[in-house]
Amino acid sequence: PRNTRVCILELGMNSPGEIKKFSEIAKPNVGIITNIGSAHAAKFKDLKNIAEEKSDIFSFFNEKSVAIIPFETKYYELVSKKASKKTKRIYSFGQNKNCDLRIITKEKLVTKFMVFNKEFSFKKSLSFNSWEQNIIIILGLIKILNIKIKNVIPSMTKLTPIEGRGKKFQITYNKKSFTLIDESYNSSPESLAKAIENLKNLKFNHTRKICVIGDMLELGKMSKSYHLKIVKTLLKTKPHIILTVGRYSNVIFERLPENFIKFHFKNYQNVFDKLLSIIKNDDIIMIK
């Protein structure tokens, strides 16, 4: 609508040149790079090329534009330098003391933030990775856009994961009640690892945790090594049952020790049937 005051757009890409094309259409006043990861790596030489591509979001900036970038990446200087060609209004976020938008403490109940030298504390009602990063970016935006923070805090602290990105469903089937964690959206090495780690953060006594892991696509020549890295995450979190499905995730199944309860399937229909046969009351199932 023409009277829209704030429009938030996600600029996605899986090929070189796409971010610049979308930035020319969107012409953002504020450009945020949330992270530099290996999703869609197939068509890029390495992570440096992905960092270059993402920082094309600043291509159509002017001196009033604002860049918000992650401090804790080895490509911080590269991204910052590219943004500085267009604007001096560049703000970093992270846990480092030099960050403009800083996560001071990450505790179970209360998290402290420093936003442009002003401190905020929030009760943490949820436990999932990236919660702090989400909140610190929102706090920075509120300050940059001159929005009254008291109007936003009630909504902000109630933020929960969305469908495909960690939303929880309580399901009853055949008189069995279990929790489904829907992480089904586009799997990448970073998002899969975080989804598994989030599962570990759920503290329930006498509850089995079941992981269903599909293929990570568009990883090119790095596909096998990225899938193998997930084995280390699984060894740390120790889910009770692991189901892998697809062509590439088979290396996870093969590399997991024999003392794990594990199954591999070529298609998801068989996964569904297997789950229904093994589910017990109070199980937690995470699907990525």
Side-chain angles (χ1 to χ4, degrees):
R2 290 188 180 278
N3 62 352
T4 298
R5 294 179 63 202
V6 178
C7 177
I8 301 173
L9 303 169
E10 178 182 14
L11 308 187
M13 60 87 181
N14 67 357
S15 300
E18 289 187 318
I19 292 294
K20 182 173 273 190
K21 180 174 70 177
F22 293 141
S23 297
E24 186 176 12
I25 296 167
K27 300 248 179 15
N29 306 98
V30 181
I32 305 167
I33 295 178
T34 52
N35 62 64
I36 295 164
S38 48
H40 312 298
K43 295 180 183 177
F44 294 90
K45 185 180 174 183
D46 51 30
L47 276 179
K48 184 181 178 183
N49 284 122
I50 291 176
E52 290 270 12
E53 174 71 20
K54 287 197 171 191
S55 53
D56 275 348
I57 196 170
F58 312 129
S59 297
F60 299 91
F61 266 22
N62 58 42
E63 67 277 1
K64 292 181 180 179
S65 304
V66 175
I68 299 176
I69 58 179
F71 190 86
E72 277 114 14
T73 166
K74 65 179 180 178
Y75 303 107
Y76 171 75
E77 293 296 332
L78 182 156
V79 174
S80 179
K81 188 176 179 181
K82 207 159 174 181
S84 67
K85 291 177 180 177
K86 298 286 185 175
T87 181
K88 290 184 172 66
R89 300 181 71 191
I90 302 166
Y91 306 116
S92 61
F93 69 89
Q95 292 180 259
N96 190 285
K97 64 181 180 181
N98 295 316
C99 290
D100 304 290
L101 314 172
R102 183 177 158 214
I103 303 161
I104 303 173
T105 58
K106 292 171 72 172
E107 295 173 9
K108 286 183 179 178
L109 298 176
V110 177
T111 305
K112 288 184 180 178
F113 302 94
M114 184 72 76
V115 181
F116 301 119
N117 299 316
K118 186 172 181 181
E119 191 173 302
F120 297 90
S121 293
F122 293 109
K123 286 185 179 179
K124 190 173 180 181
S125 57
L126 291 159
S127 180
F128 63 92
N129 274 323
S130 302
W131 184 86
E132 291 84 4
Q133 287 92 326
N134 290 336
I135 297 297
I136 195 65
I137 291 170
I138 294 168
L139 287 170
L141 274 174
I142 287 167
K143 194 75 174 170
I144 290 162
L145 299 175
N146 289 319
I147 296 169
K148 288 184 180 178
I149 194 162
K150 66 179 182 180
N151 297 339
V152 183
I153 286 174
S155 302
M156 187 172 63
T157 52
K158 290 175 186 172
L159 283 174
T160 57
I162 61 172
E163 288 185 28
R165 289 294 197 192
K167 186 170 182 176
K168 293 190 188 78
F169 294 89
Q170 201 61 38
I171 296 173
T172 301
Y173 181 83
N174 272 357
K175 298 181 181 178
K176 295 172 187 174
S177 182
F178 59 93
T179 301
L180 173 68
I181 303 175
D182 174 15
E183 287 277 9
S184 58
Y185 184 77
N186 197 32
S187 190
S188 69
E190 291 80 15
S191 65
L192 176 54
K194 284 183 178 180
I196 296 168
E197 287 162 7
N198 280 336
L199 192 63
K200 186 183 179 183
N201 292 335
L202 295 172
K203 303 286 190 246
F204 294 104
N205 293 329
H206 313 298
T207 297
R208 299 190 312 168
K209 293 172 182 176
I210 301 171
C211 268
V212 182
I213 298 170
D215 283 345
M216 295 183 284
L217 305 179
E218 297 185 20
L219 296 177
K221 62 184 180 182
M222 298 297 289
S223 181
K224 185 175 181 179
S225 62
Y226 278 131
H227 280 83
L228 285 174
K229 281 182 182 178
I230 296 301
V231 175
K232 290 181 182 178
T233 309
L234 290 167
L235 290 173
K236 285 181 190 174
T237 54
K238 294 184 173 66
H240 295 81
I241 303 172
I242 298 165
L243 289 78
T244 53
V245 54
R247 175 183 168 191
Y248 302 108
S249 65
N250 192 43
V251 296
I252 299 172
F253 170 78
E254 289 176 345
R255 191 60 63 93
L256 281 169
E258 289 301 320
N259 60 336
F260 274 75
I261 301 173
K262 56 178 183 172
F263 306 93
H264 181 75
F265 302 94
K266 290 182 179 177
N267 62 67
Y268 70 89
Q269 288 94 342
N270 294 332
V271 174
F272 184 71
D273 294 338
K274 187 66 181 179
L275 279 174
L276 293 181
S277 71
I278 63 175
I279 286 170
K280 293 182 180 178
N281 234 11
D282 298 325
D283 278 352
I284 298 173
I285 301 165
M286 188 279 289
I287 296 181
K288 184 66 173 166

